[in-house]
């Protein structure tokens, strides 16, 4: 996601113009837009005109429309977001109050104004979406022979950054071992070049390498040898950050299994992802013990925060993102206020 323009006042009013660049950006947009928000984007609308003789003709006209959002429909396969609403600005071809559905697509700007202003949660979502690398917790390369998927894990999501796919000759047959070795080396070099274009080596972040068999271990050996041979000191300083793990395959869905393994979680103990995973496990354990140290439910959690049990009292607030998508504005503000209090007043997280 690219931030094109931001104009937000101190009271939270104002607009932000965004440019979605990847399919994950459309999912983020779906989670950002709420019913009642004001949305402006380019549109294609069918316009019917009537001639002096009474005959009619229909044409499709490109225009910019502003709507007050009433409904959203996200098409994950096509990476499109269909946003319906009432037109709020009259144009040559439309009147105020008419309905229209804006189709938000990749590489097309849109401008959003929040109905009740930009709160801390919404602004935080925009910051993370526009710079996932800066908010990265962990880099991950899930691979197998000829296939590598590079992803970055932030505190809230996993972003697929790049895919490397090459043909590696098989070992079978006389004299094929040398061809296989050359193919693997070329595959490793291409994967490393792709990773280096994505990653910020000045930041010390864990780099997870996962594969079936010994592919990940071989890739790590190749990285160290390459860094030593070329004198790449920035890459050499990352040596202690590499974590090698086993995965079922080189496809992205295998990453979930890798991240749940106790060995990997132990190495990632200082990351936000690992902390949140551990907190959920601790919460479930305390619930089973039923010793009064774990609470859930709207009123119960608010009372715990009110009495200082969260933050300075040692407790941690766990809250679902779905609460920030509440259609009732009062409900949404209620949970934003709770998060702001825990973060700004109680000194918690």
């Amino acid at each position: 996601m690219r931030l094109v323009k931001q104009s937000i006042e101190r009271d939270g009013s104002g607009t932000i113009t965004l440019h979605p660049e990847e399919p994950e950006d459309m999912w983020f947009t779906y989670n950002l837009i709420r019913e009642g928000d004001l949305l402006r984007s380019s549109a294609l609308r069918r316009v019917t005109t009537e001639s002096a003789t009474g005959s009619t003709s229909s044409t499709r006209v490109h225009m910019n429309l502003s709507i007050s959002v009433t409904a959203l429909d996200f098409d994950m396969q096509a990476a499109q977001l269909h946003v319906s609403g009432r037109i709020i600005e009259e144009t040559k071809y439309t009147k105020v109050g008419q309905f229209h559905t804006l189709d938000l697509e990749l590489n097309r700007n849109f401008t959003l104004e929040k109905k009740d202003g930009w709160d801390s949660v919404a602004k935080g979502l925009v910051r993370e979406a526009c710079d996932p690398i800066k908010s990265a917790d962990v880099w991950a390369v899930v691979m197998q022979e000829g296939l590598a998927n590079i992803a970055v894990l932030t505190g809230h999501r996993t972003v697929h950054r790049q895919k490397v796919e090459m043909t590696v000759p098989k070992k079978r047959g006389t004299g094929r071992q040398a061809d296989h070795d050359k193919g693997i080396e070329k595959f490793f070099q291409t994967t490393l070049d792709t990773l280096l274009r994505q990653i910020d080596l000045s930041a010390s972040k864990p780099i997870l390498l996962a594969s079936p068999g010994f592919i990940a271990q071989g890739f790590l050996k190749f990285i160290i040898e390459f860094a030593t041979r070329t004198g790449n000191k920035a890459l050499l300083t990352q040596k202690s950050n590499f974590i090698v793990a086993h995965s079922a395959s080189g496809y992205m869905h295998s990453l979930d299994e890798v991240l749940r393994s106790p060995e990997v979680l132990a190495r990632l103990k200082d990351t936000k992802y690992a902390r949140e995973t551990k907190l959920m496990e601790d919460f479930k354990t305390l619930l089973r013990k039923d010793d009064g140290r774990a609470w859930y439910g709207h009123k119960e959690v608010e009372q715990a925060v009110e009495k200082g049990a969260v933050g300075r009292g040692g407790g941690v607030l766990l809250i679902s993102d779905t609460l920030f998508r509440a259609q009732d504005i009062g409900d949404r503000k209620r949970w934003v206020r709770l998060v702001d209090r825990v973060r700004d007043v109680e000194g918690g997280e």
Side-chain angles (χ1 to χ4, degrees):
M1 184 75 80
R2 178 158 53 87
L3 179 62
V4 178
K5 184 180 180 182
Q6 176 174 309
S7 179
I8 299 179
E9 304 298 330
R10 288 187 176 183
D11 61 0
S13 62
T15 62
I16 286 182
T17 301
L18 297 168
H19 182 86
E21 299 174 312
E22 300 174 352
E24 289 86 356
D25 294 338
M26 301 310 298
W27 174 249
F28 152 79
T29 304
Y30 171 69
N31 283 283
L32 180 66
I33 298 175
R34 306 282 186 273
E35 185 178 330
D37 290 350
L38 307 183
L39 179 67
R40 183 174 180 80
S41 180
S42 60
L44 191 61
R45 187 174 175 90
R46 185 177 295 278
V47 176
T48 302
T49 55
E50 185 176 350
S51 66
T53 61
S55 62
T56 60
S57 61
S58 180
T59 56
R60 297 175 73 85
V61 180
H62 283 277
M63 63 185 78
N64 288 319
L65 287 179
S66 297
I67 64 171
S68 175
V69 177
T70 58
L72 296 95
D73 177 43
F74 181 51
D75 185 344
M76 295 185 68
Q77 298 299 322
Q80 287 186 341
L81 180 59
H82 311 293
V83 187
S84 303
R86 290 183 179 273
I87 296 172
I88 58 173
E89 291 179 0
E90 188 169 337
T91 69
K92 180 181 178 181
Y93 303 102
T94 62
K95 296 180 180 179
V96 173
Q98 289 181 316
F99 276 96
H100 187 85
T101 297
L102 292 175
D103 297 322
L104 302 187
E105 300 176 348
L106 296 179
N107 301 307
R108 183 187 294 177
N109 290 1
F110 67 88
T111 300
L112 182 66
E113 180 178 351
K114 304 297 289 180
K115 178 183 179 182
D116 289 275
W118 290 88
D119 56 43
S120 60
V121 173
K123 288 189 285 189
L125 281 173
V126 172
R127 280 195 300 271
E128 183 182 325
C130 291
D131 197 354
I133 293 177
K134 187 173 289 184
S135 57
D137 253 357
V138 182
W139 282 92
V141 182
V142 191
M143 59 198 316
Q144 62 188 47
E145 279 196 8
L147 174 67
N149 283 286
I150 300 172
V152 58
L153 281 69
T154 71
H156 299 93
R157 60 183 181 146
T158 298
V159 182
H160 185 214
R161 298 293 299 179
Q162 201 77 41
K163 181 180 180 180
V164 177
E165 200 164 11
M166 298 177 62
T167 301
V168 177
K170 301 295 184 182
K171 292 181 182 180
R172 293 190 298 272
T174 306
R176 298 301 298 274
Q177 181 65 48
D179 292 340
H180 176 267
D181 292 345
K182 287 180 181 177
I184 285 291
E185 184 174 347
K186 185 178 180 181
F187 168 60
F188 283 168
Q189 186 65 63
T190 303
T191 303
L192 178 58
D193 291 342
T194 306
L195 178 63
L196 292 178
R197 285 195 296 269
Q198 300 286 335
I199 198 169
D200 178 11
L201 291 177
S202 64
S204 182
K205 302 286 185 180
I207 306 170
L208 177 62
L209 309 178
S211 75
F214 300 99
I215 298 296
Q217 189 67 53
F219 183 45
L220 176 57
K221 181 181 178 184
F222 176 86
I223 292 173
I224 301 305
E225 290 176 351
F226 172 84
T228 304
R229 185 173 68 253
T230 59
N232 191 328
K233 294 182 179 179
L235 186 55
L236 280 172
T237 57
Q238 297 286 339
K239 184 177 179 180
S240 61
N241 289 327
F242 284 101
I243 304 167
V244 176
H246 176 271
S247 68
S249 72
Y251 293 94
M252 279 296 293
H253 62 77
S254 296
L255 184 57
D256 290 337
E257 171 200 344
V258 175
L259 292 171
R260 286 197 298 267
S261 70
E263 296 81 5
V264 172
L265 284 175
R267 291 291 305 275
L268 300 179
K269 64 181 184 300
D270 294 328
T271 66
K272 186 172 182 179
Y273 171 85
R275 287 198 304 273
E276 290 185 351
T277 302
K278 185 178 184 303
L279 284 170
M280 279 304 301
E281 293 301 319
D282 290 346
F283 175 69
K284 293 175 184 176
T285 300
L286 291 174
L287 272 182
R288 287 194 296 270
K289 290 182 177 179
D290 194 21
D291 59 2
R293 290 188 292 163
W295 293 88
Y296 65 93
H298 295 182
K299 292 182 179 179
E300 291 80 0
V301 170
E302 286 177 315
Q303 288 176 2
V305 172
E306 187 69 32
K307 293 178 180 179
V310 179
R312 54 193 168 92
V316 176
L317 174 66
L318 301 175
I319 189 166
S320 171
D321 287 343
T322 56
L323 293 174
F324 301 124
R325 286 195 59 80
Q327 296 300 325
D328 188 292
I329 299 301
D331 276 351
R332 175 178 165 78
K333 286 185 173 181
R334 173 186 179 185
W335 302 118
V336 171
R337 282 196 301 269
L338 187 69
V339 170
D340 288 343
R341 171 167 181 168
V342 169
R343 183 186 296 132
D344 300 334
V345 179
E346 304 295 339
E349 58 176 324

